[in-house]
Each structure stands twice: as structure tokens, then as C-alpha cells.
Amino acid sequence: MAEKEAVARVVAQFADHVQWVREWPDKPTWRDRLRRWAFPESYRFDGSAAPPKPWVDRPAGHYERTGWRIRAAYYRSDLAFEVEYVVCDQCKIGWVESPYTYDGYKRCGLASAALRSLRRAYPGLQWHTGGGHFRESKPFWDFVSVDVPGGYSRRERCHHVEPRRAR
């Protein structure tokens, strides 16, 4: 357990070194299929392989959450942390939801590092959450919201992010 905590602290330091992906390889792409056809002896597809960087930013993959992304931290192929987010460039607002640190990696700074990294990646935005905060998570949100425009307070998403909310 102590080893995972030490690793998580190191991974947190690399939160600004992110691999940005357009699609997450849940299944082989057409390039993978072509490689399998052209070079069957050397073809290997492993959707659970460790990413080349400890932090990955990928589409959320939910058909009802178009435009949402997930910022996730990995140790080897072990998922340590993830948070969903969406940004509206027109309103200059970002929303984060469902930050979750997996067992063995809790209280090591991964969540704080991820939120800080998002603020650096999208400067000049106000940051909010779409829902309320659980009573147990209030100390966390109080800590990470210091000097953050918007303070991760609850705010409805705009109609640019959720078109069904059109005015």
C-alpha cells in the first residue's frame, strides 16, 4: 500500500505531461486491422496496455455526453484516478464532474494535480461542477477551490455544452 502511495505522489508531479488522444482503443482501429492483415505474425492489440505517459486525456465515450473528456492517471496499466470535464470556449467556463481516486492511490494529490493541470491547459476559465458536493467531499472542494475562478461551485451547464438546454 505504501508503495502505491509513493508512486501516486510521483505520478501527481507529472500531471502536466499528458497524452492527448482522440479515440480510446477499446477496439482495434482500421490501422490495427490493416497491420493484422499485412503482418499477421507481428500483430498484437492490447486495449489494456499501459499508456506511454502516466496521464491521459481522452474522450468520455458516452454518447449522451458529447464533448466531455476524461483526464486519467495510470501507473503502468493500473488506473489510479479519473475526472470527467467539459469546456465551453464561448462562455469561458469549464465543468468537472465525478473525480475518483481508486483504492491504493487515495490522499496522494492526484485529484489536486489533475484539476490544477486542467486549469493550466485551459487558462482564463471559471471552473464549476454540475452537481452539488457530498458532505464528505466538502473539505476536498474547499481545499482545491482556493484562488480558482468559479471556485468549483455548482452551476448549470450552458446551452453550448448541452444543446438540449437551448434558450
Side-chain angles (χ1 to χ4, degrees):
M1 190 67 95
E3 177 189 341
K4 279 189 173 182
E5 290 177 4
V7 166
R9 292 183 202 290
V10 171
V11 168
Q13 294 174 0
F14 292 98
D16 289 329
H17 302 279
V18 178
Q19 175 193 3
W20 292 80
V21 288
R22 291 185 192 179
E23 295 179 10
W24 194 241
D26 292 335
K27 59 185 179 205
T29 64
W30 68 269
R31 286 188 177 110
D32 293 319
R33 291 185 186 106
L34 179 64
R35 266 188 234 115
R36 180 177 57 198
W37 178 78
F39 308 104
E41 66 283 347
S42 66
Y43 173 77
R44 296 209 188 340
F45 176 79
D46 184 5
S48 64
K53 293 184 179 181
W55 289 87
V56 174
D57 197 292
R58 62 180 174 84
H62 306 296
Y63 65 91
E64 69 274 6
R65 300 204 53 152
T66 305
W68 284 79
R69 297 190 63 84
I70 293 177
R71 179 70 57 105
Y74 289 84
Y75 174 62
R76 296 189 179 133
S77 61
D78 198 14
L79 181 60
F81 171 81
E82 62 184 347
V83 63
E84 293 184 42
Y85 75 95
V86 68
V87 170
C88 179
D89 292 324
Q90 293 171 329
C91 296
K92 301 289 185 199
I93 300 174
W95 287 268
V96 294
E97 287 190 4
S98 308
Y100 188 77
T101 307
Y102 290 85
D103 290 336
Y105 299 101
K106 295 184 180 204
R107 300 206 170 284
C108 299
L110 290 174
S112 298
L115 296 175
R116 185 172 45 253
S117 174
L118 285 173
R119 292 191 309 268
R120 287 182 187 146
Y122 300 97
L125 299 182
Q126 288 186 19
W127 288 94
H128 296 278
T129 59
H133 302 276
F134 292 115
R135 191 173 332 151
E136 303 85 37
S137 66
K138 187 163 177 14
F140 165 75
W141 289 110
D142 289 345
F143 176 75
V144 297
S145 66
V146 173
D147 296 330
V148 174
Y152 296 111
S153 59
R154 184 184 187 297
R155 181 172 179 159
E156 294 291 323
R157 288 176 291 280
C158 68
H159 68 281
H160 302 115
V161 172
E162 289 189 359
R164 67 178 181 265
R165 290 188 189 265
R167 295 176 197 185

